[in-house]
């Protein structure tokens, strides 16, 4: 097996043009991609709008993974085909980190929510964050259907509670983080374990569209408001149209 030298591609994940550029750079540099993990995210406690006109939390948590996955899709499916030809035991895999915070989103309207840049309060940030994570689950399940039979395992997970600085914009967040670490609460290893499991364990080699819990890897259901195939397809199509100018066209 030949290993490529380490290579870093930098991008501001709130800017979709940079995400596309990085994705195309990765695809050009790597003749084979077996695993894509969409893990970066943020919880904004007030509205910030990117220079491209999107709500920052929507851009980072949902649109960036969508665009990056789209940029690497052909390379992933080609790698899966190569694995099948070589009788390899595992296909390519796409793992997206979602969250049970998705339960805080009580509605989903793709045509409106993708472009919603209205202000919100700290309290109001919770359902906005949850909606971005709901979109990740919906994206995973729709992508799983679109890649059915392509040899790419598509899953997402809730990593559980992890003290990773997600709430660092809140007052006293630093002190709280240090206290949790001292008490052994919110160890990020627990969240990392389920991500690595989905990316490498043979048990999930044929999983398509699954959503799993941390620690137990128990299957979870997409929250009801985003569970149907019709609304998941509507979200996909609305996203594709929204980012059309920065995405590479393909038949899907």
């Amino acid at each position: 097996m030949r290993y490529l030298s380490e290579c870093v591609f930098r991008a501001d994940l709130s800017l979709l043009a940079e995400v596309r550029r990085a994705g195309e750079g990765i695809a050009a540099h790597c003749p084979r991609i077996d695993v894509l993990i969409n893990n970066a995210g943020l919880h904004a406690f007030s509205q910030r709008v990117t220079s491209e006109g999107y709500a920052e939390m929507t851009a980072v948590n949902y649109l960036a993974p969508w665009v990056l996955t789209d940029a690497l899709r052909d390379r992933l499916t080609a790698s899966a085909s190569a694995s099948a030809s070589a009788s390899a035991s595992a296909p390519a895999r796409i793992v997206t980190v979602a969250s049970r915070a998705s339960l805080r989103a009580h509605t989903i309207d793709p045509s409106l929510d993708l472009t919603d840049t209205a202000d919100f309060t700290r309290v109001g940030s919770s359902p906005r964050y949850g909606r971005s994570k709901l979109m990740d689950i919906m994206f995973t399940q729709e992508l799983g259907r679109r890649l059915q039979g392509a040899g790419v395992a598509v899953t997402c997970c809730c990593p559980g509670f992890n003290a990773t600085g997600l709430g660092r914009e809140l007052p006293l967040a630093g002190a709280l983080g240090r206290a949790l670490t001292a008490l052994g609460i919110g160890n990020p290893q627990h969240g990392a374990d389920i991500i690595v499991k989905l990316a490498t364990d043979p048990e999930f080699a044929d999983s398509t569209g699954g959503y799993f819990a941390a620690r137990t890897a128990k299957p979870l259901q997409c929250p009801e408001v985003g569970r149907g195939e019709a609304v998941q397809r509507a979200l996909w199509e609305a996203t594709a149209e929204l980012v059309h100018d920065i995405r590479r066209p393909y038949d899907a």
Side-chain angles (χ1 to χ4, degrees), residues 22-121:
E24 290 178 346
I26 293 167
H29 180 77
C30 301
R32 177 175 180 137
I33 298 174
D34 294 298
V35 177
L36 167 62
I37 298 174
N38 293 309
N39 183 42
L42 68 87
H43 187 144
F45 294 93
S46 62
Q47 183 65 281
R48 295 190 293 264
V49 180
T50 72
S51 61
E52 294 175 329
Y54 304 114
E56 183 185 42
M57 191 151 55
T58 302
V60 173
N61 293 358
Y62 170 67
L63 292 173
W66 200 102
V67 170
L68 183 61
T69 302
D70 180 59
L72 299 177
R73 174 173 167 168
D74 286 351
R75 186 67 74 217
L76 285 154
T77 54
S79 297
S81 297
S83 293
S85 299
S87 299
S89 59
R93 306 194 194 195
I94 300 170
V95 181
T96 298
V97 179
S99 172
R100 291 197 210 198
S102 56
L103 291 166
R104 301 171 192 162
H106 301 300
T107 63
I108 182 72
D109 184 337
S111 63
L112 297 177
D113 294 333
L114 287 172
T115 57
D116 183 6
T117 57
D119 290 337
F120 53 80
T121 63

Side-chain angles (χ1 to χ4, degrees), residues 1 12 27 29 78 86 99 117 162 173 180 209 228 241 245:
M1 181 179 293
D12 180 341
H29 180 77
S99 172
T117 57
N162 301 276
L180 291 173
E241 182 176 0
D245 289 344

Side-chain angles (χ1 to χ4, degrees), residues 1-239:
M1 181 179 293
R2 182 173 63 90
Y3 292 91
L4 293 175
S5 60
E6 181 178 343
C7 189
V8 176
F9 293 83
R10 297 181 181 274
D12 180 341
L13 297 185
S14 71
L15 299 176
L16 303 185
E18 287 200 22
V19 176
R20 165 61 64 187
R21 175 186 53 75
E24 290 178 346
I26 293 167
H29 180 77
C30 301
R32 177 175 180 137
I33 298 174
D34 294 298
V35 177
L36 167 62
I37 298 174
N38 293 309
N39 183 42
L42 68 87
H43 187 144
F45 294 93
S46 62
Q47 183 65 281
R48 295 190 293 264
V49 180
T50 72
S51 61
E52 294 175 329
Y54 304 114
E56 183 185 42
M57 191 151 55
T58 302
V60 173
N61 293 358
Y62 170 67
L63 292 173
W66 200 102
V67 170
L68 183 61
T69 302
D70 180 59
L72 299 177
R73 174 173 167 168
D74 286 351
R75 186 67 74 217
L76 285 154
T77 54
S79 297
S81 297
S83 293
S85 299
S87 299
S89 59
R93 306 194 194 195
I94 300 170
V95 181
T96 298
V97 179
S99 172
R100 291 197 210 198
S102 56
L103 291 166
R104 301 171 192 162
H106 301 300
T107 63
I108 182 72
D109 184 337
S111 63
L112 297 177
D113 294 333
L114 287 172
T115 57
D116 183 6
T117 57
D119 290 337
F120 53 80
T121 63
R122 286 180 186 169
V123 173
S125 72
S126 184
R128 299 291 189 96
Y129 175 78
R131 187 174 293 117
S132 71
K133 291 301 181 178
L134 173 63
M135 290 178 180
D136 285 333
I137 302 168
M138 296 168 68
F139 157 72
T140 295
Q141 296 188 337
E142 178 64 16
L143 180 62
R145 284 188 289 271
R146 289 172 182 255
L147 292 181
Q148 187 75 43
V152 181
V154 183
T155 58
C156 62
C157 65
C158 172
F161 175 72
N162 301 276
T164 58
L166 190 66
R168 60 185 173 272
E169 296 177 19
L170 291 173
L172 303 178
L176 178 60
R178 289 189 293 274
L180 291 173
T181 299
L183 294 170
I185 299 173
N187 186 347
Q189 182 66 51
H190 299 148
D193 286 345
I194 183 60
I195 298 170
V196 173
K197 191 176 184 70
L198 294 176
T200 63
D201 196 310
E203 176 185 353
F204 298 98
D206 298 318
S207 184
T208 300
Y211 171 36
F212 300 93
R215 293 181 180 267
T216 63
K218 176 184 176 181
L220 301 172
Q221 279 197 319
C222 177
E224 186 174 358
V225 293
R227 193 178 301 165
E229 289 189 24
V231 70
Q232 290 177 358
R233 183 171 58 252
L235 175 63
W236 180 282
E237 292 173 351
T239 305

